[in-house]
Every structure is written in C-alpha cells, then in structure tokens.
Amino acid sequence: MTAQVLAGALADDGRRRVFAAIVLGATDRAAVAARSGLAGREVVTALRRLRDAGLVTGDDGALGVDGGWLREAARNASPATDAGGPVEPGERVLRTFLRDGVLVGLPAQRGRRRVLLEHIAGSFEPGARYPERAVDEALRGWCAAGGSDHVTLRRYLVDEGLLAREQGVYWRAG
C-alpha cells in the first residue's frame, strides 16, 4: 500500500466513518450503518471502495480491517526528509525499491526504473569483462528478496544500455 492509496481510500468523510465503525467492531453492514450514521447505500459504496483499496477484508457478517497490511505499509513508508534536508527524487526511488541493499520491486515507470538500474549497474566495474554466469551471480544478490529475478534485471540493464554484451560476455557500458 502506498500513502496515496491510503489517503485516497480515506479522503471521503463517509469512508472514514465506515472504516472507523469497522475498527471499533462493526462486522456487518447494519452495524456499520448504525455506528456511522450513514444510509445503507452509502455504506455499501464505502465498503466497496475500502475493499478495493485493501483496507477492509471479509464479507457482510465478517468485516474486518487488514491490520497486517497497514503495519506493512507503515514499515515500508519512506521519510519525506532526511536529517540533512529534503530527499532527492533519485534517493527516494532507491529508498522505495531497495531494502538493505536488496531489490524489493521494480518500478513500472521507466524514469524511476532507470534510476534504480543505474544504481545496480554501479556494482560492475567500468572496463571489466564479465561472463554471463558472473553477471547472473551478481544480480541474484540484488534479487534475494524476490522483488524481481536476475534474468529480468539483466535484460533491463542491457535494454537501457547500462550493460553491453557480445558472445556471452558483458561489460558496463558508457
């Protein structure tokens, strides 16, 4: 979950009231309506949106809040500023997609993915030649958390021109 998803899901007063009612123990639509003071139709609409966002789980009679999901979102949230001042956009990308030097995901947006790939390409020495096996081994270390696989990562590095290859030998381009 991102902060934007959470903010979007709870931006509406009615959805906040429905969410609060569930947090306080309402497990069905009737109880949610009674606690929130909203009409049944408003409750149904709010529940749909909260379920789509992943904040609410279960069906009528078993509604609940996915606390684990919220804890995970809080753990993965990156601070907007550093002790020294604002965080640079590239640094924000690295904080979002790397945990303890391991890739937790690949950005879908090309510009962000490029920032991440440039960082990973820095693990290869300029001018040094690497057999494919050595490149795969180095990239497996980045993929230990399951955020991607080494083959996909290698392909992106080559496609972006950060690594060059010829006859199974790779080198850092540029």
Side-chain angles (χ1 to χ4, degrees), residues 3-125:
Q4 287 179 317
V5 170
L6 179 60
L10 297 175
D12 178 72
D13 183 53
R15 288 192 299 265
R16 280 193 307 275
R17 289 165 65 182
V18 166
F19 184 73
I22 295 168
V23 168
L24 294 173
T27 59
D28 60 36
R29 287 190 304 247
V32 170
R35 286 193 181 187
S36 66
L38 297 173
R41 185 178 178 130
E42 292 174 288
V43 170
V44 169
T45 302
L47 282 172
R48 185 176 349 102
R49 178 77 189 268
L50 292 169
R51 274 193 198 107
D52 289 348
L55 288 170
V56 171
T57 60
D59 294 320
D60 197 36
L63 294 171
V65 172
D66 189 350
W69 194 74
L70 288 169
R71 282 187 292 280
E72 182 67 25
R75 248 193 315 274
N76 290 334
S78 58
T81 61
D82 201 351
V87 177
E88 294 296 320
E91 181 66 26
R92 187 173 295 128
V93 169
L94 296 178
R95 285 184 181 183
T96 302
F97 293 98
L98 293 176
R99 294 283 181 273
D100 300 320
V102 178
L103 188 63
V104 294
L106 278 175
Q109 188 178 38
R110 184 178 180 269
R112 290 179 180 176
R113 190 172 52 240
R114 174 75 187 202
V115 169
L116 187 62
L117 292 171
E118 286 173 352
H119 179 76
I120 292 170
S123 59
F124 297 97
E125 292 294 321

